[in-house]
């Protein structure tokens, strides 16, 4: 790329020098417009010729690779954000249960974040007194949230 730019600048300087020499040699008034137009075309050609030798498919593949990398980073960021929200919700619910002396604890909160950034809790898994815990959790989160017993084999985030 640097070499192409150097060639373009060199060709531009040569074309400008040629224009200046031609204006001094030829009759000034009579052919001035035609000479300027001709050398303007030559100058543009000289400047653009080195730049058109760039390999565009390589640039396109680099852009495609950068886009794929960007999408991968965005997916990782979304996953990290969802995990942080999940952990924060679990901790908040446990603090509330503990403050009310409810004999259970939240082990896992299954949720998803919508496109508009809303947090939707799908399910809460708890240990301890399932019935009492479910009453409090339904009161706080809504009756449509599934409250299930956490089993030893379940994965905790």
């Amino acid at each position: 790329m640097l070499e192409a730019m150097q060639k373009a600048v060199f060709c531009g300087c040569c074309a400008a020098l040629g224009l200046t020499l031609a204006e001094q040699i030829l009759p000034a008034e009579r052919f001035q417009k035609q000479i300027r137009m001709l050398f303007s075309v030559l100058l543009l050609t000289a400047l653009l010729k080195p730049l058109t030798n760039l390999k565009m498919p390589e640039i396109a593949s680099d852009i495609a690779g950068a886009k794929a990398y960007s999408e991968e980073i965005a997916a990782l960021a979304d996953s990290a954000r969802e995990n942080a929200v999940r952990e924060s919700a679990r901790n908040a619910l446990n603090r509330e249960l503990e403050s009310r002396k409810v004999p259970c604890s939240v082990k896992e909160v299954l949720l998803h974040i919508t496109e508009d950034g809303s947090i939707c809790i799908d399910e809460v898994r708890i240990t301890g007194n399932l019935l009492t815990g479910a009453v409090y959790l339904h009161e706080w989160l809504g009756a449509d949230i599934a409250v299930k017993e956490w089993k030893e084999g379940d994965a905790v985030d």
Side-chain angles (χ1 to χ4, degrees):
M1 179 73 173
L2 181 62
E3 185 177 307
M5 291 300 285
Q6 288 173 337
K7 286 181 181 177
V9 170
F10 177 73
C11 290
C13 290
C14 289
L17 179 64
L19 174 61
T20 305
L21 289 174
E23 287 179 339
Q24 298 302 320
I25 295 173
L26 297 173
E29 299 295 322
R30 189 170 174 194
F31 299 108
Q32 186 174 8
K33 288 183 180 180
Q34 291 84 1
I35 292 173
R36 284 204 173 268
M37 185 186 72
L38 178 65
F39 276 98
S40 295
V41 170
L42 289 175
L43 179 62
L44 280 174
T45 304
L47 288 173
L48 294 177
K49 174 66 176 131
L51 297 177
T52 57
N53 289 334
L54 295 175
K55 296 179 182 174
M56 296 309 284
E58 290 178 12
I59 293 173
S61 67
D62 289 345
I63 291 171
K67 183 179 179 185
Y69 184 68
S70 172
E71 289 172 355
E72 182 180 335
I73 288 177
L76 287 172
D78 288 343
S79 175
R81 180 178 62 165
E82 193 170 293
N83 287 337
V85 169
R86 185 179 296 126
E87 186 66 24
S88 178
R90 186 177 73 80
N91 290 337
L93 291 172
N94 278 328
R95 279 193 304 272
E96 286 298 315
L97 289 169
E98 189 177 306
S99 72
R100 289 182 170 69
K101 308 236 186 285
V102 178
C104 73
S105 72
V106 176
K107 290 292 188 178
E108 189 174 25
V109 177
L110 301 176
L111 57 83
H112 66 277
I113 300 174
T114 62
E115 290 292 323
D116 65 350
S118 300
I119 299 168
C120 296
I121 297 177
D122 302 316
E123 184 178 307
V124 179
R125 296 182 182 166
I126 63 174
T127 60
N129 189 330
L130 182 64
L131 185 59
T132 307
V135 169
Y136 278 100
L137 290 170
H138 282 142
E139 181 183 323
W140 298 329
L141 302 174
D144 58 331
I145 304 297
V147 177
K148 296 183 179 179
E149 183 178 12
W150 181 78
K151 296 180 182 97
E152 195 63 38
D154 290 346
V156 177
D157 292 331

